[in-house]
Amino acid sequence: MTRPFRFGLGKLAVPDDADHWQQVSKEVESQGYDVLLVPDHLGRTAPFPPLVATAAATGLRVGTLVLNSGFYHPPLLAREIATVDRLTGGRVEIGLGTGYVHAEFEALGLDPGTPKDRVDALERTVREVRRLLADPDHVPAAVQEQVPLLIAGNGNRVLRLAAEHGDIVGFIGMRYDPTAFGGLRLIPRAELAERVAYFDRVVGERAAQVEKNLLLQAVIVTEDRDAAIRHVAATQLPVPLTELEQTPLLLIGTVPQIIDQVKELRDSFGFSYFTVMDVHQEAFAPVVEALAGT
């Protein structure tokens, strides 16, 4: 089964003024995006209130990109999700991840623990939130039968969790590498292919029920792809050119070429839901317009 494309837009810059934010939301909708998403980082706008404001002004679905599961007590999180679900008319999608910014844990007086500890916390949160959202004694009946959960990560345990409990699996384009610039490295195509293949094995009979999402790292519209890659390597991601040429996380080329790249990612890996951050909103908009719903 080939899923139709969906496109999400992550908004790092959320205006403080409600009217301005709703105007921004309408612009996102007019460009053909399907989902408007708000990240979850300390020092930035809280994710849930803007989602309600967006839903009041548009027909967009709304979501989190992604909640740090270590920050939330599951019963309180389930209450928040159920409330937003009702106030948005059943249009909320909840993204959950392990969190990776140690300074944010420490600012809340929390020990980030090991990667295993953070995956343990994510698994507890997913299981408990699922249970509580289905319990009418804990939350009033939600508008929709089940709030879609996007579970984000590339590790085996996270992918197994998404295979068992997720509605959407979110593949991440970067991995931690202390030797790399900024401590993060782009995932090459071969590694992404291996991760998708692992997920396909473990999801089994639920394959048709779980949508595959890919968070793109950059979209650059240009007539000279080679020059653009060299520029990115020199100014933004100082990694070998071969890494930039081989990663599917950077869409670089003319609009028709990028459209073909997106189609190829669906054909090869089954990705049908693509997310970009707001810095790439305008560059990706013509691709969204061309492919939305196809």
Side-chain angles (χ1 to χ4, degrees), residues 19 72 100 164 194:
D19 289 339
Y72 298 92
Y100 63 94
E164 182 178 357
E194 188 278 326

Side-chain angles (χ1 to χ4, degrees), residues 136-165:
D137 292 332
H138 181 77
V139 296
V143 174
Q144 55 188 25
E145 291 185 3
Q146 179 169 289
V147 175
L149 292 186
L150 180 152
I151 299 173
N154 293 339
N156 285 359
R157 285 187 61 201
V158 174
L159 292 177
R160 290 199 303 270
L161 185 65
E164 182 178 357
H165 294 285

Side-chain angles (χ1 to χ4, degrees), residues 3-81:
R3 285 179 176 267
F5 286 113
R6 287 205 307 152
F7 299 100
L9 193 282
K11 271 290 182 183
L12 286 169
V14 178
D16 293 330
D17 178 79
D19 289 339
H20 186 192
W21 171 244
Q22 291 189 329
Q23 196 58 46
V24 166
S25 301
K26 290 176 182 177
E27 179 183 3
V28 172
E29 183 177 39
S30 72
Q31 291 175 323
Y33 289 94
D34 300 285
V35 192
L36 192 148
L37 302 140
V38 177
D40 181 24
H41 288 292
L42 294 184
R44 294 189 179 272
T45 302
F48 286 122
L51 305 185
V52 177
T54 291
T58 72
L60 289 168
R61 295 189 67 80
V62 294
T64 56
L65 184 72
V66 294
L67 296 180
N68 183 331
S69 60
F71 293 173
Y72 298 92
H73 195 279
L76 295 178
L77 179 57
R79 184 184 68 174
E80 295 286 335
I81 293 170

